[in-house]
Amino acid sequence: MAEMGLEAFRFSISWPRLIPNGRGPINPKGLLFYKNLIKELRGHGIEPHVTLYHYDLPQSLEDEYGGWINPKIIEDFTAFANVCFREFGDDVKLWTTINEAPIFAIASYGEGIKFGHCLPINYSTGNFCTETYIAGHNMLLAHASASNLYKLKYKTKQRGSVGLSISAYGLSPYTNSKDDEIATQRAEAFLYGWMLKPLVFGDYPDIMKRTLGSRLPVFSEEESEQVKGSTDFVGVIHYNTFYVTNRPAPSPITSINKLFFTDIGASLIATGNASSFEFDAIPWGLEDILEHLKESYNNPPIYILENGKPMKHGSTLQDTPRIEFIQAYIGAVLNAIKNGSDTRGYFVWSMVDLYEIMGGYITSYGMYYVNFSDPGRKRSPKLSASWYTGFLNGTIDVASQDTIQLQRKFSGSSSL
């Protein structure tokens, strides 16, 4: 990382690794691991940006009360956050409470994808899983509780910031029809406004309240005040842009479409190969998101926490499509900043190849190839690592001919 010139590195703290039972005794080995990691990062001039929750709930809390569907999670999550603030906060200035909160609630507590528990839904009877919105509600309250704790107990001394991250799809009407335009507005309300409207204005979007009725939890006046203004920044995780139609259409992610987009009353049409998560690069999609957040949510400070291109793992070290993707999206972020967006940081996903939640080891996003068959997990730089290094140190311009020159230099060492 230091050789590349990285100024910041984003990673997540595993709650079970630090506090195995969810509450109570701290695991000293887990504590030491994160202290050493943070120390090494700071020692190399790299700012740690820490995510507190990336889906790994201590099993004991799931067994005891069902995890995020129970308001008891708010107190336990706040206690976990308190340990992290206390132990690491002198060296960590950027905290994200929950990773991709909307998609986590949809996938985990709507369909039970990978890391959730919702029972199969009987679509013919309209028996949709209301746990999606209950879990999202508790995530907002847990975020607000942890954020307000930080402000009261740690901010004066540590001078850090606490934010929440959302999965932000680019959304554009499929046709010029009024119906598709209105459907896109509904999708924006459900996908962005579900979390951001309470964080900025203190309550859910009106369209969600009208559509969901009693299935959507209600904030008390006190809860509304706690949630409103509780995020110092918005973390944006963005990979792809979809077209939105008011008509039924093939879904890019079928299970989410059946649940969530039935509520929205719209469908998404993917660009590219949705089954392998190889979506077309549409940089203006990210630019539109940043403009929308600026205009609709009081222009909050924003960090792009994930943005990257999947490719088949082990296919090549000459990952020119990834360079073109990153280059185009950095350009989109620059355009948004020039237009007034308060975007403050951009993280490429990912530094190295790793196990992807949806793609496993089949697809990878890393700028460094990892040989998972090697006990030592040998790393080899891809072309994108060389390009990004040059981009960061200013020796490579974003012009296409620089990529071509880099390819020629790199070709001698490009075999796996």
Side-chain angles (χ1 to χ4, degrees):
M1 295 181 207
E3 289 173 359
M4 288 184 77
L6 294 190
E7 296 176 353
F9 179 68
R10 174 176 172 259
F11 66 93
S12 304
I13 288 177
S14 170
W15 187 350
R17 190 178 199 173
L18 191 63
I19 309 174
N21 294 321
R23 67 173 81 93
I26 298 172
N27 171 20
K29 291 184 178 180
L31 181 65
L32 182 62
F33 172 83
Y34 289 115
K35 280 186 176 289
N36 286 342
L37 172 60
I38 293 167
K39 180 181 177 182
E40 285 297 314
L41 288 169
R42 299 283 295 193
H44 287 85
I46 300 169
E47 189 76 27
H49 191 140
V50 175
T51 297
L52 288 172
Y53 188 81
H54 204 141
Y55 315 150
D56 45 355
L57 181 72
Q59 186 64 42
S60 58
L61 302 186
E62 173 68 26
D63 295 340
E64 181 183 336
Y65 54 69
W68 288 96
I69 61 168
N70 194 305
K72 291 180 180 178
I73 192 74
I74 299 166
E75 181 179 350
D76 285 332
F77 178 77
T78 305
F80 161 60
N82 184 53
V83 170
C84 294
F85 297 151
R86 183 186 72 222
E87 297 293 339
F88 312 124
D90 288 343
D91 294 310
V92 175
K93 305 306 173 189
L94 292 165
W95 298 94
T96 299
T97 51
I98 299 168
N99 186 74
E100 284 189 293
I103 286 298
F104 171 48
I106 295 167
S108 293
Y109 293 92
E111 292 288 337
I113 296 173
K114 295 290 184 182
F115 35 79
H117 72 189
C118 190
L119 296 174
I121 297 165
N122 185 343
Y123 294 106
S124 63
T125 64
N127 177 31
F128 298 130
C129 188
T130 58
E131 290 182 352
T132 298
Y133 302 106
I134 295 171
H137 192 74
N138 288 332
M139 288 174 205
L140 283 167
L141 294 174
H143 158 82
S145 177
S147 176
N148 292 328
L149 169 76
Y150 186 83
K151 289 175 182 175
L152 287 171
K153 196 171 180 180
Y154 296 102
K155 191 174 182 70
T156 301
K157 179 176 180 288
Q158 296 179 356
R159 308 186 69 80
S161 299
V162 179
L164 181 85
S165 87
I166 63 167
S167 37
Y169 298 127
L171 301 170
S172 183
Y174 185 55
T175 70
N176 293 327
S177 71
K178 191 68 176 176
D179 283 348
D180 283 359
E181 182 181 331
I182 294 172
T184 303
Q185 293 171 358
R186 290 198 303 270
E188 287 174 344
F190 271 74
L191 286 166
Y192 308 155
W194 180 16
M195 297 291 163
L196 294 184
K197 195 87 185 293
L199 290 172
V200 177
F201 301 109
D203 200 4
Y204 293 118
D206 289 339
I207 184 64
M208 290 190 72
K209 291 193 284 187
R210 289 197 302 269
T211 302
L212 299 173
S214 61
R215 293 170 56 215
L216 184 68
V218 177
F219 291 110
S220 69
E221 187 174 338
E222 181 183 2
E223 288 171 340
S224 176
E225 287 301 314
Q226 288 173 347
V227 172
K228 182 180 178 181
S230 65
T231 195
D232 297 321
F233 63 86
V234 174
V236 167
I237 292 177
H238 173 78
Y239 291 98
N240 35 53
T241 291
F242 297 100
Y243 293 104
V244 184
T245 178
N246 194 53
R247 308 187 313 272
S251 167
I253 308 173
T254 304
S255 58
I256 290 178
N257 184 67
K258 285 180 179 178
L259 170 68
F260 199 65
F261 285 88
T262 298
D263 286 339
I264 297 174
S267 295
L268 299 188
I269 298 175
T271 57
N273 187 350
S275 62
S276 63
F277 297 93
E278 293 184 4
F279 298 91
D280 292 341
I282 304 181
W284 55 257
L286 177 56
E287 198 172 334
D288 283 356
I289 291 167
L290 298 178
E291 179 67 19
H292 179 70
L293 298 187
K294 182 187 79 173
E295 295 297 328
S296 300
Y297 298 101
N298 294 345
N299 198 16
I302 289 170
Y303 289 89
I304 312 296
L305 295 182
E306 292 181 24
N307 179 239
K309 180 172 178 58
M311 295 177 68
K312 184 178 179 182
H313 181 257
S315 56
T316 180
L317 292 178
Q318 294 243 21
D319 57 343
T320 304
R322 180 170 288 116
I323 295 173
E324 294 169 346
F325 182 101
I326 296 170
Q327 180 175 313
Y329 278 86
I330 289 175
V333 173
L334 178 60
N335 289 340
I337 292 171
K338 288 179 178 178
N339 289 328
S341 171
D342 190 9
T343 301
R344 302 184 181 187
Y346 172 91
F347 292 85
V348 174
W349 185 273
S350 56
M351 173 70 185
V352 298
D353 291 343
L354 43 81
Y355 179 83
E356 295 291 339
I357 285 177
M358 299 304 293
Y361 292 115
I362 297 172
T363 57
S364 61
Y365 294 74
M367 292 185 285
Y368 281 81
Y369 167 75
V370 177
N371 183 351
F372 293 112
S373 300
D374 183 340
R377 303 293 187 266
K378 182 182 177 183
R379 288 119 165 119
S380 303
K382 302 177 189 178
L383 186 65
S384 56
S386 299
W387 182 88
Y388 200 57
T389 300
F391 173 73
L392 291 174
N393 65 30
T395 59
I396 288 181
D397 192 18
V398 293
S400 59
Q401 58 264 30
D402 290 316
T403 302
I404 294 170
Q405 291 296 326
L406 193 63
Q407 283 177 311
R408 290 171 180 162
K409 292 179 182 178
F410 191 79
S411 60
S413 60
S414 61
S415 63
L416 290 170

